[in-house]
Amino acid sequence: MNSALLDRILEDRRAKRAVVLISLHARGEQWLLHPGEDAPPGLPAEVAAAALEALDKNASLLAVIQGDSYFLQSFNPALRMVIVGAVHIGQVLAEIAKLAGFEVVVVDPREAFATPSRFEGIELRTEWPDRALQELAIDTRTAVVTLTHDPKLDDPALAAALGSQAFYIGSLGSKKTHRARLERLAEKGFGAEDRARIHGPVGLAIGSVTPGEIAVSIVAQVVESLRARNA
Amino acid sequence: MTGHDDVLEQAAAWRDTGQSVAIATVVKTWGSSPRPTGSQLVVNARGEFRGSVSGGCIEGAVLEEVAEVIRTGQGKLLHFGVSNEMAWEVGLACGGEVDIYLEKLT
C-alpha cells in the first residue's frame, strides 16, 4: 500500500465516510471507492459493483473476477452506541462498549450527571434525548440503550429510536417497569412490531447484579443482535 | 482502541517518524481461523507490532517475513495451516488455514 492511499483511508475514517479498498495484489494495483461514486480509472465496473456490495455487508473478501483475484476490504465508520442516562451503569457501559469497538455517545440533559469528569474521553450531549438522537442521525450501525428508567427521559429517546433504523434498542428497568413502558408507547401509537424491537429488561439474562456485570450483559446482547443480523 | 482503524493509525504514526512499516492482512480463511478476513497487523522494522492476524499462533512467523518485504518492497502472499509443511511449527492450533498478504507501506 502506498502512503497516499493510507492517508486517504484514515481521512475517510475520521470523516466517518465508508470506503472500500480494492487490491489486485498480483499486479500491485490498488483503488479506493466510495458509495455513490463511479469506478475509478482502470477498475472494471464488475469489480466496483462487487466492492460496493461487500461494503454494504461490511465484509472483506477475495473476489475472483475475470480471472483476477481482487481483495475487497471494507472500512465502514465505527459502530456507535448511544447511551441515554449518564448514570453509574452508563459509566461502566461506556468503557466496555468502547473496548468492544463502539464509538460511544452519552446523552443526559441532567448536567450534574453528564460531566466530563464522570465520562472521560466520551462524547456527551445535554440536549433532550429525542432531539439528541435526531441530531446523531441514528443509522443501521447504531445501538441505542436507555438507562434512566425515568419516563420523561427514556420515552422520548425510545420513540426517537423506534423511528430510526437502529440495529439494537434496549431499555433498563424491571419487568414491571418495562411492561408499563410498553403500555405508554402503545398509547403513543407504537404497534406490537415496534414495541418488540425494544430489549427489556435490557441485557442477556446472566444474573447480573453490579453495574459492571449489567454493562457486560448489555454489550453481549448488542453484539448478539449485530451478528444475528449479519449472519 | 477500535477495530482496524487503530492499527492503520499506528502504521501512519510510525511512518511519520521515519520508520519502515509493513502491513499484514488476512485475505482468505478456511475452517476455524480465529481472525476474519480483513484483519490486520502492522509492524515496524524494529519488530514492534499492533493488531493481529490470528489468535497468536502465526504472528511470529509473519514477523519473520517482514525484514525481507521491507527490504525488497515486494508484497508477499503467505499461507498457514494444517496442509502447510510448516504447520507443525507455526500452524494454527485450531486447525484452520489462512492466507495473509504482507506488504510494505511505500
Side-chain angles (χ1 to χ4, degrees), chain A residues 35-51:
Chain A
E37 274 180 6
D38 290 335
L43 182 70
E46 201 184 330
V47 179

Side-chain angles (χ1 to χ4, degrees), chain A residues 1 3 7 13-14 60 73, chain B residues 5 9 15 37-38 103 106:
Chain A
M1 188 190 305
S3 262
D7 286 334
R13 296 201 63 97
R14 292 182 197 124
S60 295
Q73 188 168 12
Chain B
D5 50 330
E9 290 281 2
R15 174 203 63 192
T37 51
E103 64 193 310
T106 55

Side-chain angles (χ1 to χ4, degrees), chain A residues 40 55 64 67 83 147 197 203 219:
Chain A
L55 187 62
V64 180
I83 300 172
L147 299 176
R197 284 179 66 195
V219 171

Side-chain angles (χ1 to χ4, degrees), chain B residues 6-60:
Chain B
D6 185 52
V7 171
L8 292 181
E9 290 281 2
Q10 180 67 72
W14 279 329
R15 174 203 63 192
D16 293 346
T17 58
Q19 302 187 64
S20 294
V21 179
I23 302 171
T25 307
V26 177
V27 294
K28 196 167 182 191
T29 66
W30 297 259
S32 57
S33 180
R35 296 282 286 132
T37 51
S39 302
Q40 291 187 308
L41 173 149
V42 297
V43 53
N44 65 22
R46 287 186 303 201
E48 296 169 325
F49 67 98
R50 180 174 295 198
S52 64
V53 289
S54 78
C57 329
I58 57 170
E59 270 77 1

